Amino acid sequence: MVSRSYSNLLELASGESPSFGRMSRRIPRIMTVAGIISDLDDDPSESVCSDPSSSSVQRDRLIIVANQLPIRAQRKSENNNGWIFSWDENSLLLQLKDGLGDDEIEVIYVGCLKEEIHPCEQDEVSQILLETFKCVPTFLPPDLFTRYYHGFCKQQLWPLFHYMLPLSPDLGGRFNRSLWQAYVSVNKIFADRIMEVINPEDDFVWIHDYHLMVLPTFLRKRFNRVKLGFFLHSPFPSSEIYRTLPIREELLRALLNSDLIGFHTFDYARHFLSCCSRMLGLSYESKRGYIGLEYYGRTVSIKILPVGIHMGQLQSVLSLPETEEKVAELIKQFCDQDRIMLLGVDDMDIFKGISLKLLAMEQLLVQHPEWQGKVVLVQIANPARGRGKDVKEVQTETFSTVKRINETFGKPGYDPVVLIDEPLKFYERIAYYVVAECCLVTAVRDGMNLIPYEYIISRQGNEKLDKVLGLESSIPKKSMLVVSEFIGCSPSLSGAIRVNPWNIDAVADAMDSALEMLEPEKQLRHEKHYRYVSTHDVGYWARSFLQDLERTCRDHVRRRCWGIGFGLSFRVVALDPNFRKLSMEHIVSAYKRTTTRAILLDYDGTLMPQASIDKGPTPKSIEMLKTLCRDENNMVLIVSARSRKKLEDWFSPCENLGIAAEHGYFLRPKGDVEWETCVPVADCSWKQIAEPVMKLYTETTDGSTIEDKETALAWCYEDADPDFGSCQAKELLDHLESVLANEPVTVKSGQSLVEVKPQGVSKGIVAKRLLSTMQERGMLPDFVLCIGDDRSDEDMFEAITSSMAGSSIAPRAEVFACTVGRKPSKAKYYLDDTGEIVRLMQGLASVSEQPVPL
């Protein structure tokens, strides 16, 4: 059962525990069962659940969490008392709800209001928003909000995620720990608000964007099985950029406390996965089209799907009389004057590339004077969402560039650039889309950018607008796009002219190409774009995300879950109910009760850490093994992939220790007997084919080496770049399988290696051989311990487990198949690391040293 106490990670993460007075007030849980309201102050064990006998049909419930609620707030005019609230129709969060449909799912919003609400009004506002809009407002003190939003979010995260490093104080904000603490504090407050309305067993939670990246940790800490999705609407930078962030691991681990993490493009997802690999050592797998990361037994899924637009809203705006009037006005202003309109719509910030677009326009007029007097660039500059010196610099540069271009190329009645720097109503912007011959989006970095999508739908228009434009409805529509290759929507717009916005000449050439393109080509490109944008709208995006979230969370109920770690390092371990940690007390007790024991131990990654520089056994390990081997009741065997010469040298002091080398091809039950082979003697002529191939990959992969054994060859890349090494390993695996297809060998990938070995050789054969040998000697083992860490050891676990049903093990034998680390395995038990394994073996050795009672 979930712990009743709230988690206070904030105290651990930042050393702060601020009190915000009225913000701690509980909001009653929204009614989920007819006639009953549950409050979070109730004991969770008594919380309301859906009861088929007492409830009506219950819809799924989704809690959408974002920095801002999709609500507009306005002071009442009379006496300035009270507030008037309405939906913000332009909010993606509201459009997302419309796309899902009210009949299918109930939506609750948690977020801040744009307007500051006085503390004495917060209770009343909370009640109104909850009852009328199903919104739960998060109230933040102004100074905390400033440090959180304008400080950490906009001065540190936002520039870094857009590839801007603070190389000097003028280039973005240097890391400031007090701003980071404010960010954590606000995420904690959001978590508290969610806890007041969530039904953790049933509700889905969907968190949006970089403002709330540590929120998943707070929620997972409180509810281990919470169904949690996160979507990042900004770019995720490459690992070279991201790892400059001092709190890089805290953010990664927080995101990994989600069940599903969404990105607009594969590039963003690839950068995130690369960061997880390089900084946390996590690898990902693609299964049946789904990308997943194994994180402490939980599968964290990765979703790649760009957001879409709200088709219904856009089409309704296109049908407004005001839109028709504005279109007619723009036709008179431009088309009737034989002007061709190019359109840019951007926020006034440093990453939208407005100045680069203006320079390209200037270059177009210089290189193609025939367009002077004919082409007009209308640049709509929306107010910047942030504030600071960089915004003012962009404004100054934009105004001065526009002035220079108009003074150079302008004529009476003609300005080449029309700058609109005041807020436009949505229908006015749509009207500009309808009339524009080409839309230019030259952002140097942007998470998604829906301007091209809106432009395409607007150019499709409707019958009324066709009449205003003087078009016949039977004529195919056309549109033209010039888009930056650095924006999230670019991959989905294959018919657009993609440009590097930093290359002014290339952008100018693209503008000229768009103007010169033949009508049929424009129509084909428009048709292709319209088909994609109209079918991949915001509803499609939202439904697809929730379907994947539901799929990812299906096995929550059948997993054993518990939390480990402190502060923002907290994570949940989720394991199969039958997979548990090997208890020292349990195995020592079994060891003492038994008299015929078989102990099989892997070496690398089991008795010796994989990352160790000196791979040889420590003196303590040698003493431990000698003690275990002196016990006449024990048969101890080291089963390793290493060569027999190396193992002989290392373990020569342990006379009674059995050794299986090269995955069990060679076997020596004791130090004083000859080596034997577990399979027929192999023909190693295949090495003449495999070794040149491995040498080729070694030369091209810095940090890789070849290990030549008697019967096997291994290509090791543990010291190479992890991404490049993994990539090369996959290529090498395919290459070797191809050239060795007719040879009696198998090619396997392992922990940072690719190995070729004779067919039929496996550690499982060694385990069976040992047990059968003991059986032949009349020594049926009543205690079997088998420990290993990688894929090759799974054969041992399988052999041991299958032997339990046979005659080679005593009927009531104590059998312990144990893997290293929490991961999917055929073993029934696990230990966390080599340190725990060594402590366990030392514990068993100390039992063997004790005198047998008379």
Side-chain angles (χ1 to χ4, degrees):
M1 188 177 73
V2 179
S3 168
R4 191 173 186 281
S5 63
Y6 280 118
S7 62
N8 194 350
L9 293 186
L10 180 60
E11 294 177 353
L12 297 165
S14 66
E16 294 183 3
S17 182
S19 174
F20 298 111
R22 290 181 177 269
M23 274 182 294
S24 62
R25 177 184 177 273
R26 296 278 180 268
I27 296 178
R29 191 190 304 283
I30 292 177
M31 191 178 295
T32 56
V33 178
I36 303 176
I37 295 181
S38 170
D39 191 277
L40 203 70
D41 286 335
D42 297 335
D43 191 282
S45 63
E46 301 171 356
S47 64
V48 178
C49 301
S50 57
D51 182 354
S53 62
S54 64
S55 68
S56 57
V57 177
Q58 184 176 334
R59 295 178 292 168
D60 285 332
R61 205 170 68 155
L62 172 66
I63 299 176
I64 296 177
V65 191
N67 179 52
Q68 283 192 351
L69 290 171
I71 294 290
R72 297 183 191 276
Q74 186 179 350
R75 272 285 184 194
K76 289 182 179 177
S77 52
E78 59 271 12
N79 301 325
N80 216 24
N81 256 341
W83 293 87
I84 299 171
F85 297 105
S86 61
W87 289 115
D88 181 357
E89 301 291 341
N90 295 327
S91 170
L92 174 66
L93 304 183
L94 182 61
Q95 295 171 6
L96 182 160
K97 176 187 173 185
D98 290 347
L100 291 172
D102 288 336
D103 296 335
E104 296 181 17
I105 194 163
E106 178 185 1
V107 175
I108 299 169
Y109 293 102
V110 178
C112 298
L113 289 166
K114 293 178 184 176
E115 289 73 16
E116 185 181 340
I117 307 295
H118 193 276
C120 67
E121 299 177 289
Q122 288 176 4
D123 286 350
E124 180 186 357
V125 167
S126 294
Q127 201 66 29
I128 292 170
L129 290 177
L130 182 62
E131 292 173 356
T132 310
F133 299 95
K134 291 185 181 175
C135 289
V136 179
T138 303
F139 300 114
L140 304 175
D143 63 321
L144 180 65
F145 179 81
T146 299
R147 286 187 294 135
Y148 147 73
Y149 183 76
H150 295 291
F152 193 76
C153 289
K154 284 299 180 183
Q155 290 181 23
Q156 296 183 3
L157 279 186
W158 190 72
L160 188 83
F161 278 26
H162 288 76
Y163 289 74
M164 185 176 179
L165 289 174
L167 299 174
S168 72
D170 294 333
L171 297 172
R174 294 279 174 85
F175 180 76
N176 183 317
R177 190 153 294 276
S178 70
L179 299 183
W180 161 241
Q181 289 172 348
Y183 181 84
V184 174
S185 301
V186 169
N187 276 250
K188 175 65 169 64
I189 294 168
F190 268 83
D192 291 340
R193 294 302 264 176
I194 294 166
M195 289 172 190
E196 294 170 1
V197 291
I198 191 174
N199 182 350
E201 298 299 323
D202 300 319
D203 294 347
F204 292 91
V205 181
W206 188 355
I207 302 169
H208 289 263
D209 225 2
Y210 63 92
H211 314 91
L212 301 170
M213 289 177 75
V214 299
L215 178 55
T217 291
F218 292 110
L219 295 179
R220 187 69 64 189
K221 171 80 173 180
R222 181 62 179 89
F223 306 118
N224 289 171
R225 290 185 175 87
V226 65
K227 302 168 185 176
L228 184 56
F230 181 95
F231 197 93
L232 184 68
H233 292 271
S234 78
F236 194 94
S238 66
S239 61
E240 287 77 12
I241 299 293
Y242 178 80
R243 61 186 174 187
T244 63
L245 197 60
I247 40 85
R248 59 191 189 180
E249 288 192 17
E250 288 90 330
L251 289 184
L252 286 180
R253 292 192 184 279
L255 287 179
L256 290 170
N257 277 320
S258 307
D259 294 298
L260 177 65
I261 306 173
F263 300 92
H264 286 305
T265 73
F266 173 69
D267 273 351
Y268 303 162
R270 178 169 57 85
H271 294 158
F272 173 75
L273 293 170
S274 177
C275 288
C276 290
S277 170
R278 291 172 178 274
M279 293 165 216
L280 303 180
L282 302 176
S283 58
Y284 71 92
E285 287 187 350
S286 182
K287 295 180 181 177
R288 296 184 178 180
Y290 296 107
I291 299 174
L293 281 160
E294 286 295 323
Y295 186 61
Y296 290 90
R298 293 172 49 246
T299 298
V300 181
S301 294
I302 304 298
K303 177 76 172 176
I304 302 167
L305 185 66
V307 70
I309 58 173
H310 193 310
M311 286 291 293
Q313 182 202 31
L314 204 54
Q315 287 169 344
S316 66
V317 174
L318 284 167
S319 301
L320 292 175
E322 297 96 314
T323 306
E324 293 177 39
E325 291 173 9
K326 184 65 179 178
V327 168
E329 178 188 322
L330 293 175
I331 289 172
K332 287 180 182 178
Q333 183 180 351
F334 295 99
C335 301
D336 291 352
Q337 304 295 322
D338 291 327
R339 307 278 193 258
I340 300 172
M341 185 200 296
L342 306 179
L343 179 65
V345 181
D346 305 278
D347 292 346
M348 185 71 83
D349 71 49
I350 56 176
F351 297 112
K352 292 301 188 286
I354 294 177
S355 59
L356 296 176
K357 187 187 307 177
L358 294 172
L359 292 174
M361 178 65 181
E362 185 177 37
Q363 191 76 350
L364 173 72
L365 298 175
V366 170
Q367 291 181 346
H368 301 277
E370 66 272 16
W371 292 121
Q372 295 179 19
K374 295 180 181 179
V375 174
V376 177
L377 172 62
V378 176
Q379 176 62 55
I380 298 173
N382 302 317
R385 299 179 193 182
R387 62 191 188 196
K389 187 173 68 172
D390 56 334
V391 174
K392 293 177 182 176
E393 288 175 353
V394 170
Q395 289 174 331
T396 302
E397 184 182 10
T398 299
F399 293 146
S400 63
T401 307
V402 170
K403 182 181 179 183
R404 186 184 72 242
I405 294 172
N406 285 340
E407 287 177 350
T408 305
F409 301 99
K411 302 174 185 176
Y414 168 71
D415 283 331
V417 180
V418 176
L419 178 64
I420 302 172
D421 63 339
E422 56 189 28
L424 291 181
K425 293 180 180 176
F426 189 44
Y427 79 85
E428 293 178 307
R429 197 171 85 207
I430 294 298
Y432 278 99
Y433 289 146
V434 172
V435 177
E437 186 70 17
C438 177
C439 184
L440 310 170
V441 182
T442 56
V444 296
R445 191 71 61 178
D446 208 349
M448 180 60 193
N449 200 313
L450 292 174
I451 298 300
Y453 287 9
E454 293 176 351
Y455 169 70
I456 290 161
I457 300 303
S458 301
R459 289 289 287 180
Q460 186 68 16
N462 55 39
E463 289 186 5
K464 290 183 179 179
L465 288 173
D466 287 346
K467 290 179 182 178
V468 177
L469 293 165
L471 300 175
E472 293 182 19
S473 56
S474 60
I475 297 177
K477 301 298 168 52
K478 61 177 182 176
S479 63
M480 214 44 237
L481 282 166
V482 175
V483 299
S484 165
E485 59 194 49
F486 302 121
I487 62 176
C489 67
S490 176
S492 63
L493 297 170
S494 55
I497 301 176
R498 297 194 183 104
V499 295
N500 173 2
W502 298 101
N503 188 337
I504 305 300
D505 290 336
V507 178
D509 290 342
M511 294 162 71
D512 181 60
S513 298
L515 292 166
E516 294 280 12
M517 191 172 290
L518 298 175
E519 297 295 300
E521 179 71 13
K522 291 181 181 180
Q523 291 164 358
L524 284 172
R525 293 182 184 232
H526 171 80
E527 182 186 354
K528 185 177 186 179
H529 288 158
Y530 180 75
R531 190 163 55 245
Y532 175 84
V533 174
S534 60
T535 54
H536 292 71
D537 63 353
V538 67
Y540 174 89
W541 171 74
R543 287 190 299 272
S544 180
F545 187 89
L546 286 180
Q547 284 169 6
D548 278 11
L549 180 58
E550 187 176 4
R551 175 188 54 79
T552 304
C553 298
R554 270 180 202 150
D555 67 343
H556 276 196
V557 291
R558 68 177 187 84
R559 294 271 181 167
R560 288 188 304 120
C561 298
W562 68 93
I564 59 173
F566 296 101
L568 294 175
S569 295
F570 174 85
R571 60 265 190 208
V572 164
V573 178
L575 298 175
D576 188 278
N578 298 319
F579 187 58
R580 56 186 184 272
K581 189 165 186 175
L582 185 55
S583 162
M584 174 73 86
E585 293 78 10
H586 181 33
I587 194 169
V588 166
S589 172
Y591 190 84
K592 288 178 178 178
R593 289 196 309 268
T594 51
T595 56
T596 307
R597 313 183 189 103
I599 301 174
L600 298 95
L601 302 171
D602 174 45
Y603 182 69
D604 290 285
T606 302
L607 292 178
M608 176 61 59
Q610 288 281 7
S612 178
I613 302 297
D614 182 3
K615 300 294 185 181
T618 63
K620 282 187 178 180
S621 296
I622 294 292
E623 283 304 313
M624 173 191 72
L625 290 170
K626 288 170 69 175
T627 303
L628 288 170
C629 293
R630 277 196 297 267
D631 190 327
E632 295 181 355
N633 295 327
N634 293 345
M635 176 72 80
V636 185
L637 188 67
I638 294 289
V639 187
S640 173
R642 290 191 176 272
S643 67
R644 56 178 172 172
K645 184 179 185 308
K646 179 70 72 176
L647 294 172
E648 269 183 331
D649 292 343
W650 282 347
F651 296 106
S652 56
C654 306
E655 297 175 1
N656 293 325
L657 177 68
I659 298 175
E662 299 192 19
H663 292 292
Y665 183 90
F666 296 108
L667 176 64
R668 191 182 70 180
K670 283 189 177 181
D672 56 355
V673 299
E674 293 298 317
W675 286 93
E676 56 189 77
T677 58
C678 292
V679 295
V681 177
D683 173 16
C684 293
S685 60
W686 55 266
K687 284 189 177 183
Q688 297 173 11
I689 303 171
E691 192 168 14
V693 176
M694 285 191 178
K695 282 183 176 178
L696 173 65
Y697 283 81
T698 304
E699 289 168 5
T700 57
T701 312
D702 189 37
S704 65
T705 57
I706 298 174
E707 185 180 356
D708 189 357
K709 309 171 191 178
E710 289 180 70
T711 65
L713 270 179
W715 184 77
C716 309
Y717 61 94
E718 63 181 341
D719 294 329
D721 177 273
D723 286 341
F724 185 54
S726 177
C727 178
Q728 290 287 79
K730 291 174 185 174
E731 288 292 324
L732 176 60
L733 187 72
D734 290 343
H735 198 158
L736 289 171
E737 284 178 342
S738 174
V739 298
L740 298 172
N742 298 321
E743 301 293 332
V745 295
T746 57
V747 186
K748 297 279 187 182
S749 62
Q751 185 82 28
S752 298
L753 63 82
V754 175
E755 187 167 28
V756 186
K757 61 183 181 180
Q759 286 179 349
V761 176
S762 77
K763 292 184 178 181
I765 290 178
V766 178
K768 289 178 181 178
R769 178 81 167 259
L770 175 67
L771 294 176
S772 63
T773 302
M774 294 179 72
Q775 183 185 15
E776 289 167 4
R777 296 177 182 174
M779 303 167 55
L780 276 184
D782 52 3
F783 176 97
V784 180
L785 172 62
C786 178
I787 309 179
D789 75 306
D790 67 11
R791 293 178 191 171
S792 64
D793 300 308
E794 295 295 317
D795 295 329
M796 271 202 301
F797 303 148
E798 188 174 20
I800 295 295
T801 307
S802 62
S803 297
M804 293 172 66
S807 57
S808 58
I809 294 180
R812 295 188 179 179
E814 300 279 1
V815 179
F816 302 92
C818 177
T819 189
V820 182
R822 305 170 181 86
K823 57 177 180 277
S825 173
K826 293 173 184 174
K828 190 177 179 180
Y829 300 95
Y830 74 90
L831 288 170
D832 286 326
D833 51 37
T834 56
E836 287 194 348
I837 291 163
V838 170
R839 283 193 293 274
L840 171 72
M841 300 312 298
Q842 286 173 339
L844 299 183
S846 65
V847 172
S848 288
E849 279 186 318
Q850 294 172 5
V852 179
L854 299 174

